Amino acid sequence: MKYDSTRWPFVTGALPGTGGRIRDELADFVVDEVRDEPPEGTGDHLWLRVEKADQTTQRVIGHYREALGLDGDAIGHAGLKDRHAVTTQWISLPAACEDRLDAVPPMPGVRVLERVRHPRKIQEGELRGNRFSIHVRGAAGSASDAEAVLRALAVTGVPNYFGPQRFGAAGDNAERGLLLLRAGRKPRGWLDKLMTQAVQSWVFNDWVTARLAAGTFATVLHGDVAVKHETGGKFLVGDPEEEAPRAAAFAISATGPLFGRKYHEAQFEARAIEDEVLAGLGLARDLFRPLPGSRRPIRMPLADWTLEPTDEGYRVGFFLPAGGYATAVLREIMKVEPEPPQAK
């Protein structure tokens, strides 16, 4: 289970890629968190919209926690943002901290853009998605090649692969997580959780590949657990022919398994494909009992994409729903896995 980007194919494989590289500079990769509703302006929590550059979300939260003397779970955030980028996101603090906020020492690369009260703490996963703006430099292909891929993805959807960062800088997170699962050990701490989630992610990516190979990436099968893209609601597909128009209109999509002890289980034809993927890896469903289970859409809609040629390549912008990896879009455009940022 050593990470290899060539294991998981492109949905736009018939179209040429541009090649290129990203993250020459921090401003080449910009991420802005998008929420459904802004904070209300009153309440017992103080929401901060924070811009950070070359800092992890965990380090920013740790800085405020230490400076304000807060408990470990007192600060809320919806998700983690890239370190090697310029990103904005909301974090929440107890409102009682507001009077002491100006005394918090400055942190390199971090600034607070807004402060607003709200009745609730921010919960993990509580966001609509993220807006990306990424400069691809040194592209051998043209911006028109990139545009052709973007137009195709807007129709088919983007394969919702987990990106390389899920599998670690050395690409061995899944290998290490598998050792934990085979030892029957429940994850202890965030590192164990990260490793075992990488195993779930690996199996999910293989399941997406199996559906692509079977020509059922953009359709639903008997027994699929499908998701309604507008509401997030899930249901078991009884008659795939009846649901075909909604799948074709991108109103619904199949979801794949993040195996665990409790989740919506597929049935019939859809379950058989999951079993084939597990068998191909020499794994069984029971192996994942120490983990909570979930499901993940097979594809993401590509919304509001933009493309601007530059002197060194092009800058591409797009919105992805929560949990989506920008690398899933970039690898389709570039036809190579974007190189991970190098530690400095």
Side-chain angles (χ1 to χ4, degrees):
M1 282 189 166
K2 189 80 168 182
Y3 180 74
D4 177 4
S5 64
T6 63
R7 182 181 182 88
W8 299 309
F10 308 110
V11 72
T12 60
L15 296 173
T18 67
R21 61 187 187 276
I22 60 172
R23 303 187 200 254
D24 280 10
E25 301 175 7
L26 288 175
D28 285 352
F29 202 102
V30 179
V31 189
D32 293 309
E33 186 175 271
V34 179
R35 304 189 61 84
D36 282 322
E37 297 179 4
E40 294 179 6
T42 60
D44 293 332
H45 294 268
L46 180 66
W47 284 23
L48 308 180
R49 191 165 76 92
V50 177
E51 179 189 82
K52 62 180 188 62
D54 200 27
Q55 295 282 7
T56 66
T57 301
Q58 298 101 315
R59 287 181 64 184
V60 173
I61 289 174
H63 179 79
Y64 279 98
R65 183 187 299 128
E66 181 178 352
L68 296 169
L70 298 173
D71 292 336
D73 62 351
I75 300 179
H77 66 94
L80 304 179
K81 295 291 184 288
D82 295 77
R83 172 187 171 183
H84 301 272
V86 177
T87 71
T88 63
Q89 69 181 118
W90 289 92
I91 64 173
S92 65
L93 312 170
C97 298
E98 187 168 11
D99 291 342
R100 295 182 286 136
L101 199 60
D102 289 337
V104 173
M107 188 177 186
V110 177
R111 60 185 182 131
V112 176
L113 304 179
E114 293 182 66
R115 303 183 189 183
V116 190
R117 292 282 192 105
H118 193 71
R120 293 182 296 102
K121 173 186 173 183
I122 296 175
Q123 302 297 320
E124 189 171 350
E126 189 183 61
L127 72 160
R128 185 159 67 89
N130 295 287
R131 175 77 191 172
F132 297 89
S133 176
I134 301 166
H135 194 180
V136 179
R137 300 176 188 264
S142 67
S144 61
D145 292 330
E147 182 177 354
V149 172
L150 289 164
R151 290 190 182 281
L153 291 174
V155 175
T156 64
V158 182
N160 202 10
Y161 289 128
F162 287 95
Q165 53 269 61
R166 188 72 158 190
F167 303 102
D172 62 351
N173 281 8
E175 286 183 345
R176 297 166 67 185
L178 188 56
L179 291 175
L180 293 175
L181 291 174
R182 284 181 168 157
R185 196 177 99 188
K186 187 175 182 179
R188 302 167 189 164
W190 71 269
L191 185 59
D192 280 5
K193 181 179 178 182
L194 187 69
M195 301 303 168
T196 52
Q197 285 178 339
V199 184
Q200 292 175 308
S201 303
W202 187 286
V203 177
F204 175 86
N205 282 9
D206 272 9
W207 172 82
V208 174
T209 294
R211 295 289 293 251
L212 281 167
T216 57
F217 170 72
T219 64
V220 291
L221 302 175
H222 185 209
D224 259 330
V225 178
V227 63
K228 301 175 184 177
H229 285 287
E230 185 173 352
T231 65
K234 297 181 178 67
F235 66 97
L236 195 69
V237 175
D239 185 346
E241 290 188 6
E242 182 180 329
E243 300 295 349
R246 288 206 291 172
F250 222 133
I252 64 171
S253 292
T255 66
L258 300 176
F259 289 112
R261 59 183 172 271
K262 187 176 181 181
Y263 66 109
H264 289 86
E265 294 203 30
Q267 302 293 330
F268 311 117
E269 183 182 4
R271 187 183 182 90
I273 293 178
E274 295 180 4
D275 288 339
E276 289 173 7
V277 170
L278 283 173
L281 292 168
L283 305 178
R285 291 173 186 263
D286 285 350
L287 180 73
F288 296 89
R289 286 198 175 277
L291 308 180
S294 185
R295 298 198 74 89
R296 178 177 173 90
I298 192 171
R299 56 181 179 162
M300 303 178 282
L302 183 68
D304 302 328
W305 63 266
T306 61
L307 186 68
E308 178 186 357
T310 69
D311 291 340
E312 298 183 64
Y314 56 88
R315 181 171 282 274
V316 60
F318 49 86
F319 171 84
L320 292 179
Y325 285 79
T327 49
V329 179
L330 292 172
R331 72 190 298 269
E332 295 282 344
I333 299 172
M334 299 164 67
K335 294 298 184 293
V336 294
E337 193 75 61
E339 289 291 332
Q342 300 300 311
K344 296 181 180 179

